[in-house]
Amino acid sequence: MTRKFWSKLIAPAALAGLAAAPATLLAQAAAPANPFGIPDSVTIFGSSNPNMRTATAIVNDFVITGTDIDQRVALVTAAAENQVSEEELARLRRQVLRNLIDETLQIQEATKLELPVDQAEVNQTYAQLAAQNFGQDPSAMDTYLRSIGSSPASLKRQITGELAWQRVLSRNVNAFINVSEEEAREVLKRLEADRGTDEYRLGEIYMSATSENREAVRQNAQRIVEQLQQGGSFVAYARQYSEATTAVVGGDTGFLRLGTLPGPMAEAAQQMQPGQLVGPLEIPGGFTIMYLIEKRQVLTADPLEALLSLKQISITFEPGTTEEQAAGRVEQFGTFVQGLRGCADADSARDVLGASVVSNEQIPARQLPQQLQNIILNLQVGQSTPPFGSITEGVRVLMLCGRDDPQVAGSPTVQSVMNQIEEERINKRAQRYLRDLRNDAYIEYN
């Protein structure tokens, strides 16, 4: 069982009611700064910290206990790559409570609509998760969940919430979404006009801020950045802390063009390399943390999808080899490789230099270190990279022996565009639906 599994598992549906994405907040920024006319200086009667209370709630007569929260928090912290601080744990408990309230409302709505989730289906989904991660042994997952402070019941409750919400949306939302072919064809025309334009697939963690709490939010965002830099799961942090609609998919924005992003995000994205983390950046309405997942060009084949046939020729150094001695051998190594007439000659390095020669016939260019990707993609068959490495790890070259370039990306079909538009509209309606459920609910905090 890996932590990555749990980071993907945590509350994908229960977080569905978070706030609007940063791109939509540009319009909100123009709203009145103080619509309620609240004075700048106010006197607080009673506790000044409304979060200092017992972390339980009653949602339309259904009780969410402290144990419920503890066990769901355990699922989240099991996905963390580093220890969670007490302050962060307190924030996480508040977020989990909100998630459990939403989950309860979703289950209650399904019951009201006479769309209850059958326990057999929940058990089947649970067994599938166990099979994927524990080799057909649900009891092993039971044991693991209890060992981290959670429980099978907690995970099954989460599964129930997700299945219930799917039923509700299918009945009351999906059936009323219509997308015309004309809309899809307009989108295709715009895509064709933008062929070759850069697109950026980002991970985002958005946190709203006002003039009053701006500094506190910035510091909180900075702490999250530090946790991520120490190995924390971006997906898990996005699901628990982001206030963007993308939180439900771990912060993944999908592919976007720069024109759709707030200025600071667009400027930062242009300078980023895949795998790079940036932030917190101040944008209209708050702060964002950005992670560049992938970059591509519209309707253009991605050269990093090329399948390469490579030979690695490497030499090692005896312990105690000096820099001067190593430099001489590296020069000899480089001269010999440059003299090779192609991949057929590469094996001769074993006899002449005592080198190691290893072949790989099907390696995607994307899997190579970023420093080598552009170098190798610019090689012709039979050519090799400059030597690279160190005395301790050895020095090596990669020789290109073959290359299968990806096919030029074809235009998406009318149907695929219609499906995408439909999914976007369903997600927006689902957000409004859950917001209305919250507004109509009787929620009592204890």
Side-chain angles (χ1 to χ4, degrees):
M1 169 61 66
T2 63
R3 287 172 174 170
K4 183 180 292 186
F5 163 72
W6 294 110
S7 70
K8 292 179 179 178
L9 180 66
I10 304 304
L15 285 168
L18 297 177
T24 66
L25 288 162
L26 290 172
Q28 296 178 14
N34 189 0
F36 294 110
I38 298 174
D40 292 336
S41 178
V42 297
T43 301
I44 304 295
F45 298 96
S47 171
S48 61
N49 186 352
N51 292 310
M52 295 298 293
R53 59 177 67 164
T54 303
T56 59
I58 302 175
V59 183
N60 295 329
D61 296 329
F62 180 88
V63 178
I64 297 174
T65 68
T67 300
D68 295 331
I69 295 168
D70 291 339
Q71 292 182 349
R72 195 63 62 86
V73 166
L75 285 177
V76 180
T77 54
E81 298 291 338
N82 48 314
Q83 188 172 2
V84 179
S85 68
E86 288 298 323
E87 183 180 359
E88 185 177 358
L89 187 61
R91 289 194 298 271
L92 180 57
R93 287 181 62 84
R94 295 193 292 270
Q95 179 64 58
V96 165
L97 176 57
R98 291 193 289 270
N99 298 344
L100 287 170
I101 290 171
D102 287 349
E103 182 180 284
T104 300
L105 292 171
Q106 291 164 346
I107 294 172
Q108 291 175 346
E109 181 69 2
T111 302
K112 173 185 173 183
L113 296 173
E114 298 183 351
L115 299 170
V117 176
D118 185 79
Q119 189 60 40
E121 187 176 357
V122 175
N123 293 338
Q124 181 182 11
T125 304
Y126 185 86
Q128 289 172 350
L129 288 172
Q132 293 168 9
N133 297 277
F134 292 93
Q136 307 293 333
D137 187 4
S139 64
M141 188 156 78
D142 294 350
T143 301
Y144 176 78
L145 290 170
R146 294 188 182 100
S147 74
I148 63 173
S150 188
S151 72
S154 180
L155 182 52
K156 288 181 179 180
R157 172 75 177 179
Q158 179 175 319
I159 293 170
T160 301
E162 294 169 5
L163 294 175
W165 195 230
Q166 289 172 12
R167 283 166 167 70
V168 170
L169 296 182
S170 179
R171 164 78 68 83
N172 285 355
V173 174
N174 300 16
F176 300 96
I177 299 295
N178 295 307
V179 181
S180 68
E181 285 193 21
E182 288 74 17
E183 291 179 90
R185 294 188 189 283
E186 284 298 319
V187 172
L188 287 174
K189 287 180 182 178
R190 291 196 295 270
L191 285 173
E192 189 60 41
D194 291 336
R195 182 183 290 271
T197 302
D198 287 336
E199 287 188 314
Y200 301 81
R201 183 183 171 198
L202 301 170
E204 65 171 350
I205 299 176
Y206 171 74
M207 305 174 73
S208 63
T210 64
S211 57
E212 290 77 15
N213 67 0
R214 174 185 173 279
E215 183 57 25
V217 173
R218 187 196 66 78
Q219 291 178 7
N220 189 19
Q222 184 60 48
R223 283 192 291 268
I224 292 175
V225 169
E226 293 168 1
Q227 296 285 334
L228 294 172
Q229 290 172 337
Q230 295 170 19
S233 165
F234 191 96
V235 170
Y237 275 83
R239 282 180 170 158
Q240 295 305 322
Y241 292 110
S242 180
E243 298 175 46
T245 54
T246 55
V248 298
V249 288
D252 191 340
T253 66
F255 283 99
L256 301 171
R257 269 156 271 174
L258 295 179
T260 65
L261 295 171
M265 292 181 69
E267 293 174 11
Q270 284 182 294
Q271 307 300 321
M272 294 172 69
Q273 297 297 322
Q276 185 176 350
L277 182 74
V278 170
L281 296 175
E282 188 164 13
I283 62 174
F287 292 87
T288 190
I289 300 166
M290 292 171 54
Y291 176 79
L292 181 57
I293 302 171
E294 195 176 351
K295 179 181 175 181
R296 71 179 184 187
Q297 292 182 322
V298 177
L299 302 183
T300 303
D302 186 349
L304 292 179
E305 295 298 328
L307 292 177
L308 308 177
S309 175
L310 300 172
K311 282 194 174 182
Q312 177 181 268
I313 308 172
S314 59
I315 57 173
T316 57
F317 301 91
E318 295 291 334
T321 300
T322 65
E323 292 281 351
E324 184 177 357
Q325 292 170 332
R329 191 167 178 218
V330 169
E331 183 177 358
Q332 178 193 16
F333 176 60
T335 301
F336 175 82
V337 170
Q338 289 298 320
L340 294 175
R341 290 174 295 178
C343 291
D345 282 350
D347 290 341
S348 65
R350 291 193 182 97
D351 299 327
V352 177
L353 301 177
S356 171
V357 181
V358 178
S359 298
N360 190 313
E361 301 294 334
Q362 292 283 308
I363 181 169
R366 187 182 305 282
Q367 292 184 6
L368 297 171
Q370 290 182 13
Q371 303 94 313
L372 294 174
Q373 289 174 359
N374 287 336
I375 295 175
I376 291 179
L377 289 175
N378 287 321
L379 294 178
Q380 298 297 324
V381 172
Q383 293 182 327
S384 60
T385 66
F388 59 92
S390 65
I391 295 177
T392 56
E393 297 180 355
V395 171
R396 64 197 74 189
V397 299
L398 293 176
M399 179 176 285
L400 181 63
C401 300
R403 171 174 170 171
D404 293 325
D405 287 312
Q407 296 296 313
V408 175
S411 298
T413 64
V414 171
Q415 187 60 52
S416 67
V417 173
M418 290 176 67
N419 291 342
Q420 182 178 354
I421 296 173
E422 182 180 60
E423 183 178 353
E424 291 173 356
R425 290 181 180 174
I426 288 172
N427 289 337
K428 289 179 180 178
R429 294 272 187 95
Q431 298 297 316
R432 292 198 295 268
Y433 198 147
L434 187 56
R435 179 197 62 199
D436 292 341
L437 291 178
R438 293 194 201 103
N439 290 340
D440 294 339
Y442 292 96
I443 303 175
E444 179 181 350
Y445 296 92
N446 300 315

